Every structure is written in structure tokens, then in C-alpha cells.
Amino acid sequence: MLKRLSFLALIFSALSCGPPKADNVPTDRYELEGDVIRVDTVHRLALVRHGDIQNADGKVWMRGMTMEFPIKQKADLEKLAPGLRIKASLHHRPQDLEYWLGDIQILPKP
Ligand SMILES: [Cu+2]
């Protein structure tokens, strides 16, 4: 009985280690262009009216719409302001459906 319990304890401790640290998992990358509507620096979110989001092979991740995106890097967040036109990488991690914007560049207004 004791042996069995320690075996279970071993299994549980192995499970609690979980999958590899999420930030080390590679992401799918797509390109986004859009207009910043609103920036929420507290929650690190930007509301963006974006065109189709696709990768270099033309695979569409999402059609154009207006929605909020998490911004992970502080430097990216500080670049943003309502009214700016941006180009950015959309990072998508299929394992946990997480996505965010990075590599933000400010574009000249068309
Ligand atoms: Cu969208």
C-alpha cells in the first residue's frame, strides 16, 4: 500500500511539472497592418482596425475586422497611440490559442 501511494505521488509530481514553459514554444507568425483605435496601457491591449492577417505563404489567419490585441513588449506598447497606422507581427501559439502583437512599426498615413 505504501509503495502504491508513493508511486501515485511520483506520477502527480511529474504531472505538476506540466508542458514546456509556454514562452519557449515557437509561434506561428502572420503580418498585420491596421489603424490603432484605442490603447489600454493598464491591461496592455490595443484596439486595432486591421486588414486581412496572413503569413508569407498567403495563409489567412483572420479577415479584416476591429478587435483588441494583447501587446507583450513594453517597448511596443509605448509606440502606440490612437490614430497611428501600424505594421506588426501577429504571433499565434496554437497549443493554447494565445496570440499577441509584436515587432510594431509605425507607418506613414496613406
Ligand atoms: Cu480580428
Side-chain angles (χ1 to χ4, degrees):
M1 182 63 182
L2 191 60
K3 202 166 187 177
R4 188 172 189 115
L5 278 176
S6 58
F7 178 68
L8 281 175
L10 189 71
I11 296 282
F12 280 126
S13 64
L15 285 175
S16 67
C17 290
K21 186 84 177 84
D23 284 342
N24 298 331
V25 176
T27 59
D28 292 342
R29 280 169 73 143
Y30 300 83
E31 288 299 312
L32 167 148
E33 248 189 67
D35 299 303
V36 179
I37 309 293
R38 192 174 62 218
V39 182
D40 177 346
T41 51
V42 174
H43 301 101
R44 294 181 167 229
L45 295 169
L47 182 65
V48 179
R49 188 194 305 122
H50 66 80
D52 290 352
I53 301 173
Q54 51 189 25
N55 67 10
D57 301 326
K59 181 188 170 194
V60 175
W61 185 72
M62 186 185 280
R63 292 291 178 193
M65 63 180 287
T66 300
M67 63 181 278
E68 276 188 320
F69 291 94
I71 312 295
K72 282 210 170 176
Q73 301 296 322
K74 193 165 176 257
D76 280 329
L77 194 65
E78 286 169 348
K79 290 178 200 168
L80 297 176
L84 291 176
R85 181 152 188 88
I86 60 165
K87 186 180 156 92
S89 296
L90 182 287
H91 294 263
H92 177 230
R93 202 165 54 208
Q95 290 86 347
D96 54 9
L97 306 177
E98 230 199 293
Y99 61 86
W100 64 91
L101 293 185
D103 318 313
I104 292 174
Q105 295 171 252
I106 308 302
L107 298 177
K109 285 290 226 175

